[in-house]
Amino acid sequence: MAMSRWRRINRFALGEARTHARLFVVLNITLGTGCLLQMFQGLTSGLYRSNISFIGLGLLLAGGMVGPTVVIGVFRELHNRQQSDVVYSLPMSTSERYLSRLLALAYLHILPVLAWSGLAAITTFIRTSFFNEYEHIRRYIVIDWASTDAIVRTWTGFLACVLFFDAIAVVSAVCCGRRAEIRYFTYLIAASFSLAPLLLRMQLMERIGGQVTKPSSLFYSWTLSLIAWDRADSKTWQFVLLAVLNCLISVGVMLLMYFMYRRRDASTAGKPVVSRAFFEIALVAGLLAYYTLLISEPGLIPYILIGGVVYLVIHIVTFRGNLSVPKVLLWTVKLAATTAAFVLLLWIAYVTDGFGAVRYLPMKNLDNTNIFIDASYDFYDGQNTVAFAGPDAYYWEYHRTDWVSFHAQPTNDRQIRATAEVFQKYAAQRDKSFSGFLKFFQKHEETYRGWNRIVMCTMEIWEGEDHNLLVRQEVSLTGQQIREMMSELKKMGIVQIR
């Protein structure tokens, strides 16, 4: 019974794929050309030439990012009333119809992307790994993204991004009833989900709290920003594992959308938005990403007005068949409430020092770690003032391009934390009023006048000679604060000051 059901689903999926034969041919020509260009580049590149064909990768990327077009074609009964009458009359259950659509998407798009990009990656991998007679020289002169590790990361990250984009397109297709809304909501949600978490962390953790240590891998889960994950601080297997997790989440999302799909019928085709919750979440995510990106730009009001105009235009275009003055007023109130909630969130974060991020220290034991505080407040005679402690502490010597080692005394957890807490105490000394909050986010150019000028100071905590960075915190302090901080650190007798 189960086998016959699967055969019926597969038969309908193949029939659906044949319906889009022209799209399938164009897509495979694009992907195949990109693959061949990359193969030729990988097989013919010499010692001083790159193993990467940027035109080939561009074509592979173009083929990978046409997911919305394929999804619109496969799920055509959701936005075309004539197709709805035909498809919903077929002798299939709702689950069979939905699974056949996902299988058709796999035949038309996912499998070709997997095959062509995989062939290009394998060819480049073989050339890089086995046919390089100058490997002992190559490791020093060929840029990192041409290495075998980079090839594996690029391929797995690319597949994860393609599946993410396809999953977002499926969500948009199920929640919208017109082609235009499916397409632009796919791009809006993909961009917002990729940018908003990292941008919000940047404002709360980095800008307010000063914590500029690498974000957790959770910020790269189910997002296009996976390809921007810093590979210098991670192992290849970690990146591949995260890419596989992203792929599984995408597949899971596409399967879970069945519960929304089964609520659709012919009457919802042509309706701009079927799920109002989806619409509101998409716009809030878009506003969040937009505001977070531009909050530090000078002259913020014009950017807010531009965002508001775009917000209202999306409403008007989406619901153009049902416009009225009360509705426009309601949309304006929603916009104002969303903007006010965002400003309130940032203000609370500012008052609470980034929800406590300013005072963050690792929970692990900090025995025998190194601490380094760079307070470069003496602007006029070009001298740096640094404080350091640890069994193998380093500091940056002004006008030098190398690290100078000072073997200090071993440190314990209490000493490291006491030193860091002094730095963080001064980092938290800022004007907590609302006007101070506005000045904090709108300042760009500092005035360098006497000891009251504001400068960037850095604190780092790392362990071992390989510089395993545990904390990197960057905050703005005045010259007066720096002098007081250094005086307090000197009295503690823990750090060396130079």
Side-chain angles (χ1 to χ4, degrees):
M1 185 70 177
M3 183 60 68
S4 61
R5 185 175 183 231
W6 167 250
R7 288 174 178 171
R8 184 163 60 252
I9 292 172
N10 187 55
R11 185 171 66 253
F12 278 108
L14 290 173
E16 182 65 31
R18 284 192 291 270
T19 303
H20 304 282
R22 183 181 301 175
L23 174 62
F24 180 76
V25 170
V26 172
L27 177 61
N28 277 271
I29 290 175
T30 302
L31 292 170
T33 304
C35 173
L36 289 175
L37 289 174
Q38 175 56 32
M39 287 173 60
F40 290 146
Q41 180 73 10
L43 290 173
T44 61
S45 61
L47 179 64
Y48 295 99
R49 293 180 58 197
S50 167
N51 285 323
I52 301 298
S53 168
F54 291 103
I55 297 178
L57 289 185
L59 290 174
L60 289 170
L61 181 63
M65 294 295 106
V66 298
T69 300
V70 180
V71 169
I72 287 172
V74 169
F75 287 88
R76 63 189 185 280
E77 74 274 11
L78 298 180
H79 58 81
N80 187 308
R81 288 183 179 271
Q82 294 179 342
Q83 291 294 330
S84 297
D85 295 335
V86 174
V87 172
Y88 287 122
S89 64
L90 294 175
M92 300 178 67
S93 66
T94 304
S95 60
E96 290 174 342
R97 188 187 315 118
Y98 185 70
L99 290 176
S100 70
R101 293 294 183 258
L102 293 184
L103 194 56
L105 174 63
Y107 289 151
L108 286 169
H109 188 235
I110 298 174
L111 292 180
V113 167
L114 177 66
W116 288 115
S117 63
L119 181 59
I122 291 171
T123 306
T124 309
F125 178 86
I126 292 173
R127 170 65 176 87
T128 305
S129 301
F130 302 106
F131 294 100
N132 196 332
E133 61 274 23
Y134 302 104
E135 181 64 28
H136 63 289
I137 303 176
R138 178 185 177 276
R139 71 183 61 175
Y140 298 107
I141 61 176
V142 177
I143 46 184
D144 179 63
W145 40 257
S147 66
T148 54
D149 283 349
I151 294 168
V152 173
R153 290 169 184 260
T154 302
W155 183 53
T156 55
F158 173 66
L159 293 180
C161 290
V162 168
L163 276 175
F164 167 78
F165 208 52
D166 283 2
I168 294 295
V170 171
V171 172
S172 300
V174 173
C175 294
C176 301
R178 287 198 307 223
R179 296 169 63 98
E181 278 72 19
I182 295 172
R183 193 177 297 278
Y184 72 71
F185 272 115
T186 297
Y187 291 102
L188 174 64
I189 294 176
S192 301
F193 278 32
S194 299
L195 292 176
L198 287 173
L199 290 175
L200 195 59
R201 180 196 180 276
M202 179 185 70
Q203 296 294 349
L204 300 184
M205 292 289 292
E206 295 184 19
R207 187 169 180 81
I208 298 177
Q211 300 289 347
V212 295
T213 313
K214 174 186 166 184
S216 165
S217 58
L218 292 176
F219 286 91
Y220 299 94
S221 298
W222 208 53
T223 167
L224 291 174
S225 58
L226 174 66
I227 56 177
W229 193 30
D230 183 11
R231 58 175 178 260
D233 297 329
S234 62
K235 303 295 185 182
T236 297
W237 69 266
Q238 294 174 317
F239 184 91
V240 172
L241 187 62
L242 184 59
V244 171
L245 175 63
N246 274 263
C247 293
L248 293 177
I249 293 174
S250 297
V251 173
V253 168
M254 286 190 278
L255 292 175
L256 287 174
M257 287 310 298
Y258 162 73
F259 297 101
M260 283 290 298
Y261 177 85
R262 68 181 182 180
R263 299 180 181 180
R264 297 290 301 268
D265 53 36
S267 64
T268 60
K271 188 177 180 180
V273 175
V274 177
S275 171
R276 194 57 185 260
F278 162 83
F279 178 80
E280 298 297 342
I281 291 173
L283 288 191
V284 169
L287 276 178
L288 183 64
Y290 177 77
Y291 285 157
T292 311
L293 179 65
L294 298 174
I295 189 64
S296 299
E297 291 295 321
L300 184 60
I301 299 301
Y303 292 105
I304 294 179
L305 293 177
I306 292 173
V309 170
V310 173
Y311 180 88
L312 293 177
V313 166
I314 291 176
H315 277 81
I316 292 172
V317 170
T318 304
F319 303 107
R320 56 184 177 271
N322 190 22
L323 286 176
S324 64
V325 173
K327 286 185 178 295
V328 175
L329 291 177
L330 176 61
W331 299 337
T332 305
V333 170
K334 283 197 310 177
L335 171 64
T338 304
T339 304
F342 175 75
V343 173
L344 180 62
L345 172 66
L346 283 186
W347 182 69
I348 293 175
Y350 175 77
V351 172
T352 59
D353 297 320
F355 299 107
V358 166
R359 300 187 181 277
Y360 164 78
L361 288 173
M363 296 181 64
K364 65 178 295 183
N365 189 290
L366 300 178
D367 287 347
N368 292 319
T369 57
N370 304 278
I371 187 167
F372 164 79
I373 297 175
D374 183 359
S376 311
Y377 69 89
D378 196 350
F379 177 78
Y380 297 103
D381 60 11
Q383 296 296 317
N384 279 3
T385 299
V386 297
F388 54 91
D392 195 25
Y394 289 75
Y395 82 100
W396 182 259
E397 188 177 16
Y398 196 75
H399 290 314
R400 293 283 296 275
T401 57
D402 58 331
W403 286 95
V404 181
S405 176
F406 288 86
H407 294 276
Q409 297 297 320
T411 55
N412 56 43
D413 182 85
R414 181 191 60 79
Q415 290 174 323
I416 294 294
R417 292 185 185 277
T419 304
E421 286 167 2
V422 171
F423 177 88
Q424 293 174 337
K425 179 183 71 173
Y426 286 92
Q429 291 179 359
R430 56 170 69 117
D431 182 6
K432 299 298 177 64
S433 65
F434 192 74
S435 61
F437 158 74
L438 294 177
K439 291 178 182 177
F440 177 83
F441 277 98
Q442 289 295 287
K443 67 185 179 186
H444 276 263
E445 295 183 0
E446 306 294 354
T447 57
Y448 295 89
R449 296 183 180 178
W451 295 109
N452 290 323
R453 73 184 185 89
I454 300 176
V455 297
M456 184 64 71
C457 300
T458 303
M459 178 186 72
E460 292 182 354
I461 301 176
W462 69 85
E463 58 183 354
E465 294 185 3
D466 57 349
H467 297 159
N468 179 26
L469 189 63
L470 302 178
V471 173
R472 179 177 173 85
Q473 192 168 5
E474 297 178 353
V475 297
S476 297
L477 300 178
T478 64
Q480 180 64 30
Q481 287 177 315
I482 293 172
R483 291 202 311 277
E484 293 175 359
M485 178 181 66
M486 286 299 175
S487 177
E488 186 171 344
L489 288 173
K490 187 175 182 179
K491 291 178 181 178
M492 293 171 60
I494 299 174
V495 300
Q496 298 184 48
I497 297 179
R498 295 182 184 271

